[in-house]
Amino acid sequence: MSEKNIPNALKFLFGGSAGMGATLFVQPLDLVKNRMQLSGVGGKPKEYKTSLHAFRGIIEKEGFFALYNGISAGLLRQATYTTTRLGIYTWLFDMMKTDGKPPSFGVKAALGMVSGICGAFVGTPAEVALIRMTADGRLPPNERRNYKSVIDALMRIYREEGLLTLWRGAIPTMGRAMVVNAAQLASYSQAKQLIVEKFKIEEGVLLHFIASMISGLITTAASMPVDIAKTRIQNMKTINGKPEYSGPMDVLVKVVKNEGPFALWKGFFPYYFRLGPHTVLTFIFLEQMNSFYYKNVLGQSGRGAL
């Protein structure tokens, strides 16, 4: 009897729900990562020496709940970006299977790039709002944007700066998404496949956890320089009619020149501790929802999402 697959609409729903669930746990890490990447901009002294220093400083100056500034934007980002990227990836992944066997690593990487570009374009407005909302607390009171929620942020950006500003940084965001998804989705699928083959670990939470941690480490190292370029472009202001940066390469050149090459990996640990657990939780939630559907609706056991 041929295997049945989950309907495409549910693949998108499961993908977005998994990402949103993971974001509830890792939002403070995302905020610290953004603050670390914006620390030292324009040759100013670094605000934070380490990730722990950033955590302590934010809590002392702004209060514990400041760690969840921008949570509404973070959830909307997952509802748009992750819904699209995981939905498209799982849909294409099933299409590219041959006789029930998963596609090659190169095909997985290509599928990750395609799904990442699509997800990034859809999710850029929420990303812009998220970057600004998480960065607001580091500014002097008279310079803060003080968005009340992600809806308020999107409406004000549209009214005050124009529609296209909602897609500011879309190109580096899509470039980052290509790197992140090619690394994350392909390495997760490949790690999972190799672990099953070499160590005979069966489909389940342990398998998903190990594959996710491997995927998170690879993705962090590969994507951080692009992520820094994206973060600074989306947070930049226009001064006397001139933007701070002309594009992603301008950001990277200025960062290396003014802050040193290792600044491209500034905030590595909060980025990894954010991306690693987010990867783990997203894939575990996604796999559990898919496994539940396969077992209880389609009557098939031992199948995962990727």
Side-chain angles (χ1 to χ4, degrees):
M1 186 175 65
S2 61
E3 289 185 336
K4 295 180 180 179
N5 287 317
I6 296 173
N8 291 330
L10 279 181
K11 291 176 183 176
F12 284 81
L13 177 63
F14 287 171
S17 299
M20 293 174 75
T23 291
L24 292 174
F25 292 91
V26 303
Q27 176 68 15
L29 297 170
D30 204 24
L31 183 139
V32 169
K33 182 267 297 182
N34 288 341
R35 295 285 185 93
M36 291 284 288
Q37 289 182 341
L38 293 169
S39 177
V41 173
K44 296 179 181 179
K46 293 182 180 179
E47 297 169 74
Y48 308 113
K49 298 176 182 178
T50 64
S51 304
L52 181 59
H53 182 217
F55 264 112
R56 290 175 58 187
I58 292 167
I59 293 173
E60 288 174 1
K61 294 178 182 178
E62 305 169 50
F64 176 81
F65 291 105
L67 293 172
Y68 279 88
N69 284 348
I71 184 64
S72 61
L75 291 173
L76 180 62
R77 179 179 179 272
Q78 295 302 319
T80 51
Y81 169 64
T82 302
T83 296
T84 303
R85 76 179 179 108
L86 288 182
I88 290 178
Y89 184 80
T90 53
W91 168 47
L92 294 176
F93 188 90
D94 282 338
M95 285 182 59
M96 298 304 294
K97 286 181 179 178
T98 305
D99 298 326
K101 295 181 179 179
S104 66
F105 181 78
V107 172
K108 292 172 186 172
L111 298 183
M113 289 183 182
V114 171
S115 60
I117 290 173
C118 296
F121 182 79
V122 173
T124 294
E127 180 92 14
V128 172
L130 175 63
I131 295 297
R132 292 186 174 194
M133 291 175 77
T134 55
D136 216 29
R138 62 183 287 274
L139 298 173
N142 62 317
E143 294 183 20
R144 293 178 186 173
R145 296 180 171 103
N146 294 317
Y147 298 135
K148 298 175 183 177
S149 67
V150 66
I151 301 301
D152 180 51
L154 296 176
M155 291 179 64
R156 281 183 52 192
I157 292 170
Y158 169 69
R159 288 199 309 264
E160 297 168 9
E161 303 173 59
L163 179 64
L164 293 181
T165 305
L166 291 171
W167 274 269
R168 175 181 287 172
I171 292 176
T173 300
M174 291 164 75
R176 171 190 176 276
M178 285 180 63
V179 175
V180 166
N181 284 273
Q184 186 186 62
L185 298 177
S187 63
Y188 175 81
S189 299
Q190 196 69 21
K192 185 179 166 184
Q193 184 179 334
L194 291 174
I195 292 167
V196 170
E197 293 174 356
K198 300 294 183 182
F199 299 99
K200 309 302 180 184
I201 297 178
E202 297 182 354
E203 188 75 39
V205 174
L206 178 61
L207 172 62
H208 305 155
F209 176 81
I210 297 172
S212 298
M213 290 304 293
I214 294 172
S215 172
L217 186 61
I218 292 172
T219 305
T220 300
S223 65
M224 277 214 72
V226 189
D227 190 70
I228 284 181
K230 173 198 71 67
T231 298
R232 294 202 177 181
I233 285 175
Q234 290 178 330
N235 189 62
M236 71 179 178
K237 292 186 176 181
T238 300
I239 303 171
N240 297 324
K242 184 179 180 181
E244 293 179 72
Y245 305 106
S246 60
M249 287 306 301
D250 185 41
V251 176
L252 298 179
V253 169
K254 286 180 178 177
V255 168
V256 172
K257 181 180 178 181
N258 299 326
E259 304 167 49
F262 290 109
L264 294 175
W265 283 271
K266 183 188 293 181
F268 181 91
F269 288 106
Y271 188 93
Y272 176 65
F273 289 131
R274 180 264 180 202
L275 185 64
H278 192 273
T279 300
V280 170
L281 291 168
T282 297
F283 283 130
I284 287 178
F285 290 157
L286 178 64
E287 295 274 20
Q288 292 305 305
M289 285 187 282
N290 277 273
S291 296
F292 179 86
Y293 191 89
Y294 278 126
K295 181 178 180 180
N296 294 282
V297 178
L298 300 181
Q300 301 172 14
S301 59
R303 289 191 63 184
L306 306 175

